[in-house]
Amino acid sequence: MRWDELFADLEAQLVEADAADVRAEVSDRTRREAAQVTLVARLRGVGASPVTLGTLAGEVAGGVVAAGNGWLLLREDSGGEALVPLSRVLWLRGLGRQSGPEPGGAAARLEARLTLGHALRALARDRAPVRVALEGGAVVAGTLARVGADWVDVVEHPAGESPRRGTVSATRTVPTASLVLVRSG
């Protein structure tokens, strides 16, 4: 009888050791998989759920419209949109644990090419009035006119007016490194 108890105890110890090994392996794989997930993929996983960002210009909240290589576009509750360079995001709330799929092949190459400059050029093409929040707290209002490799020209004009020769009061060239947030709408 004593031998039966000993073997039963040894078998229970082996079963527990195997279960502990499986738990440790699952935990390790989970950590390794999480280490491969980008912030953009997590933002893709949010879907229509609202998120809140902390930026140097304050909090911005809304649903994720698009996320690309170094930028995020939110639709704010006010109906406007906010283009935020990811390098200017201090924290995020509302992401949850889900992530969207990482694009592969041609989609990954396309996403890598869709930089902040591409998003800014789309705003310039649409001639949408914007408010550009800059590092240090300054805000420039107007229309994006030209977008270079590392700068953007903002033509200043009265709200509600189109940027024409008689309405433009100044053109400010803003280094994209000092952009914190671009709001339109």
Side-chain angles (χ1 to χ4, degrees):
M1 187 69 168
R2 213 168 139 213
W3 288 103
D4 290 338
E5 289 174 11
L6 176 65
F7 287 131
D9 184 49
L10 289 174
E11 185 177 347
Q13 288 177 20
L14 285 173
V15 167
E16 178 54 34
D18 286 345
D21 286 345
V22 168
R23 286 192 302 271
E25 184 177 339
V26 167
S27 180
D28 186 50
R29 281 187 184 186
T30 301
R31 282 191 295 276
R32 275 187 278 146
E33 288 173 7
Q36 303 301 313
V37 176
T38 65
L39 182 56
V40 171
R42 289 205 53 205
L43 288 162
R44 262 193 236 103
V46 170
S49 301
V51 296
T52 303
L53 313 176
T55 73
L56 296 173
E59 290 188 11
V60 182
V64 176
V65 175
N69 181 6
W71 59 273
L72 165 66
L73 182 64
L74 292 179
R75 176 152 300 117
E76 297 181 280
D77 295 336
S78 64
E81 293 182 331
L83 177 64
V84 185
L86 286 177
S87 64
R88 299 313 202 166
V89 174
L90 303 174
W91 54 264
L92 298 102
R93 183 173 53 227
L95 290 185
R97 297 181 60 85
Q98 299 298 319
S99 61
E102 289 286 356
R109 288 190 300 275
L110 176 64
E111 181 179 284
R113 290 178 39 208
L114 292 179
T115 63
L116 177 62
H118 285 88
L120 291 168
R121 280 189 278 286
L123 282 171
R125 182 190 62 237
D126 292 346
R127 312 287 291 165
V130 296
R131 291 172 317 286
V132 181
L134 304 175
E135 187 175 324
V139 176
V140 179
T143 302
L144 303 184
R146 296 186 321 152
V147 180
D150 59 355
W151 55 269
V152 59
D153 279 347
V154 182
V155 294
E156 297 176 82
H157 54 84
E161 297 279 335
S162 295
R164 293 185 307 270
R165 189 176 303 258
T167 63
V168 172
S169 59
T171 299
R172 290 197 204 199
T173 300
V174 177
T176 53
S178 61
L179 292 177
V180 175
L181 173 66
V182 180
R183 281 192 161 113
S184 65

